[in-house]
Amino acid sequence: MTMDKQMHQRAIDWLNQAADLLRATLDSPLQVKQKQNAHDLVTEMDCRIEDYLIQQIRHYYPNHQILSEEGQGDVFLNTEGYLWIIDPIDGTLNYVKEKNHFAILLGIYYNGNPIAGYIVDVMNEQLYYGIVGDGVYLNHQPLLPIQIASLETSLIHGNVHLFIHNRYQAREILNHSLGMRHYGAAGLDMISVIRGEAALYLSPRLQPWDFAAGLAIFTAMNYKMTTPTGQPLDLLKQQAVLACHPAVHSQVLDIIQSTDSEANYNDN
Amino acid sequence: MTMDKQMHQRAIDWLNQAADLLRATLDSPLQVKQKQNAHDLVTEMDCRIEDYLIQQIRHYYPNHQILSEEGQGDVFLNTEGYLWIIDPIDGTLNYVKEKNHFAILLGIYYNGNPIAGYIVDVMNEQLYYGIVGDGVYLNHQPLLPIQIASLETSLIHGNVHLFIHNRYQAREILNHSLGMRHYGAAGLDMISVIRGEAALYLSPRLQPWDFAAGLAIFTAMNYKMTTPTGQPLDLLKQQAVLACHPAVHSQVLDIIQSTDSEANYNDN
């Protein structure tokens, strides 16, 4: 199944509308609620963007399934047919605290296979998308990534707790690299790999809406996004994710699997 | 001593010229040399920008002293009179590897006191400056920082190795905060504090050219930039730096000084 041009154009129009709304309301007072803890926030804008996107999809594609972060999508059963996976605001903590460095994420899948992925870096007004079988674009121009030659000559991205607790041999990966950067929004940390600014992004725990857009773009680029043990990602569950340039993927898997303890490479 | 308007205008003109040159040559092949190690790079563009800025300063202000990263400034003796402190490319590793997230830094001091500081976020085309006794500006508009209420409701910035080795009780500071971000260029990590996106930036080792621009801007804002034990910074030496919103400075000093071991709060 390849991406339908009209569906692509609609997706872009909706994402642009949503990004405009987020920028226009940026200085308005915001209702912020905690979900699981103080780091896990939801605002009325997450819900409003989600609601807008879901209404559009339901209007034009009533038979498609929708999986979305704030729960207004389908109570999800399977990956058959078309599936839209949405994160209305990726990096809600950055959105609330920085008013910067957040994204809108959309992945479109058919029978469990990615066909298109979209990441809007809202404050930089940059739209990245990848169409499987076609290529990857930044603001509608073909994206030419910086070359990645090896882990030793590259930067890496990940959350600081990975390195403090040395999960997935993160310190060993770091020691092989030139250094660590972290933006705190999965979509934006993945963009660093997509642009070739970094060789990899490692996360101990991503939800489907955190990685679905990136996985589709990575697939369009023949880049690697797997679990830290190299297994395919499951679209229906939370899991650890290694998003990686192909030049370093097997080396990083080897480092992760060189650990002495099972606990360190448990994907869940 | 307050900042001279003509000197301010010249500084801005030179920095804009330098930023234009960096953007225009971004895709040219680059000669990269290692300094102390693979993380410490210099390119011909560091030297070219430094040379350009120093030539301008020497032409208009032949009696002023200049301290600059790549060594074309004065063999520096004291802080008497005017002192220009330059980092031609802050975040050279990002410049080389990301072609993104680097800055030009300039601090102007008189008898050791900051009078003006400039940070150019080159790829975002954002010029931040602070004039002591006047205020802080982004692209010539007064900057209105996001409010910081407490460490517990804020993000923090620092290098991952601080947290791995728990230097300056970095993990304890992190545990009090909402999370860590890191861009890998001192000037850009300081901008996060200047904008109110983060409450603090902590570094175990900055050179005068890494912190002089930020220190002047912080001074103009009545923000705090000290050693991690709260001492004033020495303009002539490498040292550990705590760049901090005033609402959290004393709390962070208390956390750092609560350590059991002297080694953890040695500033050098």
Side-chain angles (χ1 to χ4, degrees):
Chain A
M1 178 61 56
T2 55
M3 185 64 186
D4 175 282
K5 277 199 180 160
Q6 189 178 47
M7 190 153 73
H8 171 64
Q9 192 53 55
R10 284 179 176 148
I12 287 175
D13 289 345
W14 302 337
L15 291 169
N16 284 336
Q17 288 284 334
D20 284 345
L21 181 62
L22 283 175
R23 284 187 294 264
T25 56
L26 197 65
D27 292 322
S28 308
L30 205 55
Q31 285 193 343
V32 182
K33 288 183 190 158
Q34 289 188 14
K35 293 198 288 190
Q36 291 186 6
N37 55 54
H39 310 245
D40 189 15
L41 306 178
V42 60
T43 72
E44 75 268 29
M45 291 309 299
D46 296 76
C47 299
R48 199 167 149 193
I49 298 294
E50 177 174 290
D51 187 53
Y52 166 74
L53 293 172
I54 289 178
Q55 281 194 24
Q56 301 299 322
I57 299 165
R58 293 233 189 277
H59 179 76
Y60 289 97
Y61 305 105
N63 299 322
H64 291 190
Q65 297 189 85
I66 303 172
L67 178 60
S68 189
E69 175 165 21
E70 309 308 339
Q72 299 174 85
D74 295 299
V75 178
F76 183 69
L77 292 172
N78 60 54
T79 56
E80 265 175 46
Y82 280 101
L83 170 63
W84 299 61
I85 305 181
I86 299 168
D87 191 344
I89 302 180
D90 167 50
T92 300
L93 186 56
N94 288 353
Y95 171 67
V96 172
K97 292 294 165 185
E98 303 186 359
K99 299 177 185 287
N100 209 346
H101 306 118
F102 55 91
I104 309 172
L105 309 183
L106 168 64
I108 306 179
Y109 287 72
Y110 187 79
N111 287 348
N113 298 312
I115 56 175
Y118 303 81
I119 300 177
V120 189
D121 178 347
V122 176
M123 298 311 293
N124 279 323
E125 302 192 32
Q126 290 182 324
L127 166 65
Y128 295 82
Y129 57 82
I131 310 292
V132 177
D134 177 12
V136 61
Y137 298 84
L138 165 55
N139 289 344
H140 307 292
Q141 300 300 313
L143 179 74
L144 299 174
I146 298 167
Q147 278 299 112
I148 294 285
S150 67
L151 183 57
E152 284 68 17
T153 56
S154 298
L155 294 165
I156 66 172
H157 281 241
N159 184 295
V160 66
H161 295 285
L162 276 174
F163 301 94
I164 290 175
H165 302 295
N166 199 26
R167 294 199 65 194
Y168 310 107
Q169 300 287 330
R171 289 190 204 173
E172 188 66 14
I173 299 170
L174 176 67
N175 289 341
H176 278 269
S177 80
L178 288 179
M180 172 271 210
R181 306 287 183 260
H182 184 52
Y183 304 151
L188 300 187
D189 287 299
M190 286 180 189
I191 281 176
S192 297
V193 184
I194 291 167
R195 292 174 63 108
E197 296 179 357
L200 67 90
Y201 166 58
L202 178 60
S203 172
R205 193 172 55 244
L206 291 183
Q207 297 286 354
W209 44 82
D210 295 317
F211 68 76
L215 175 57
I217 298 175
F218 271 55
T219 304
M221 299 176 79
N222 291 316
Y223 280 24
K224 301 281 186 188
M225 195 179 295
T226 64
T227 70
T229 53
Q231 299 306 306
L233 296 176
D234 182 334
L235 267 187
L236 305 187
K237 66 172 203 180
Q238 174 186 289
Q239 64 223 277
V241 172
L242 172 64
C244 209
H245 189 279
V248 308
H249 190 244
S250 64
Q251 182 187 359
V252 173
L253 291 180
D254 286 348
I255 294 172
I256 292 171
Q257 285 163 6
S258 69
T259 178
D260 294 330
S261 150
E262 284 284 328
N264 274 348
Y265 59 91
N266 180 348
D267 280 354
N268 297 302
Chain B
M1 181 60 57
T2 56
M3 186 65 186
D4 174 282
K5 277 199 180 160
Q6 187 178 46
M7 191 154 73
H8 171 63
Q9 193 52 56
R10 283 179 176 148
I12 287 175
D13 290 345
W14 303 337
L15 291 169
N16 284 337
Q17 288 284 333
D20 284 346
L21 181 62
L22 283 175
R23 284 186 294 264
T25 55
L26 197 66
D27 292 322
S28 307
L30 205 56
Q31 284 193 342
V32 183
K33 288 184 191 158
Q34 288 188 15
K35 292 199 288 190
Q36 290 186 6
N37 56 55
H39 310 245
D40 189 15
L41 306 178
V42 59
T43 71
E44 75 268 29
M45 290 309 298
D46 296 76
C47 299
R48 202 167 146 193
I49 298 295
E50 176 174 291
D51 186 52
Y52 166 74
L53 293 173
I54 289 179
Q55 280 194 24
Q56 300 298 322
I57 299 165
R58 292 231 189 280
H59 178 77
Y60 289 97
Y61 304 105
N63 299 322
H64 291 189
Q65 297 188 85
I66 303 172
L67 178 60
S68 188
E69 176 167 18
E70 309 308 339
Q72 299 174 85
D74 294 300
V75 177
F76 182 69
L77 292 172
N78 61 56
T79 56
E80 266 175 45
Y82 280 102
L83 170 63
W84 300 61
I85 305 181
I86 299 168
D87 190 345
I89 303 180
D90 167 51
T92 300
L93 185 56
N94 288 354
Y95 171 68
V96 172
K97 291 295 165 185
E98 302 186 359
K99 298 177 186 286
N100 209 346
H101 308 117
F102 55 92
I104 308 173
L105 310 182
L106 168 64
I108 306 179
Y109 287 71
Y110 186 79
N111 287 348
N113 298 311
I115 56 176
Y118 304 82
I119 300 177
V120 189
D121 177 347
V122 176
M123 297 312 292
N124 279 323
E125 302 193 32
Q126 291 182 324
L127 167 65
Y128 295 82
Y129 58 82
I131 310 290
V132 177
D134 177 12
V136 61
Y137 298 84
L138 165 54
N139 289 343
H140 307 292
Q141 300 300 313
L143 179 74
L144 299 174
I146 298 167
Q147 278 300 110
I148 295 285
S150 67
L151 183 57
E152 284 69 18
T153 57
S154 300
L155 295 166
I156 66 172
H157 281 240
N159 185 294
V160 66
H161 295 286
L162 276 173
F163 301 93
I164 290 175
H165 302 295
N166 198 26
R167 294 199 64 194
Y168 309 107
Q169 300 288 328
R171 290 190 203 172
E172 189 66 15
I173 299 170
L174 175 67
N175 289 342
H176 278 267
S177 80
L178 288 178
M180 172 272 210
R181 306 287 183 260
H182 184 52
Y183 303 150
L188 300 185
D189 287 298
M190 286 180 190
I191 282 176
S192 297
V193 184
I194 291 166
R195 292 174 62 108
E197 296 179 358
L200 67 89
Y201 166 58
L202 178 60
S203 172
R205 195 172 54 243
L206 292 183
Q207 296 286 353
W209 44 82
D210 295 317
F211 68 75
L215 175 57
I217 298 175
F218 271 54
T219 304
M221 299 176 78
N222 290 315
Y223 280 23
K224 302 281 187 186
M225 195 179 295
T226 64
T227 70
T229 54
Q231 299 306 305
L233 297 177
D234 182 334
L235 268 187
L236 305 187
K237 67 173 203 180
Q238 174 184 291
Q239 64 223 274
V241 172
L242 172 64
C244 209
H245 189 279
V248 308
H249 190 243
S250 65
Q251 182 186 0
V252 173
L253 291 181
D254 285 348
I255 295 172
I256 291 171
Q257 284 162 7
S258 68
T259 177
D260 294 330
S261 149
E262 283 285 328
N264 273 349
Y265 58 90
N266 180 349
D267 280 356
N268 295 299

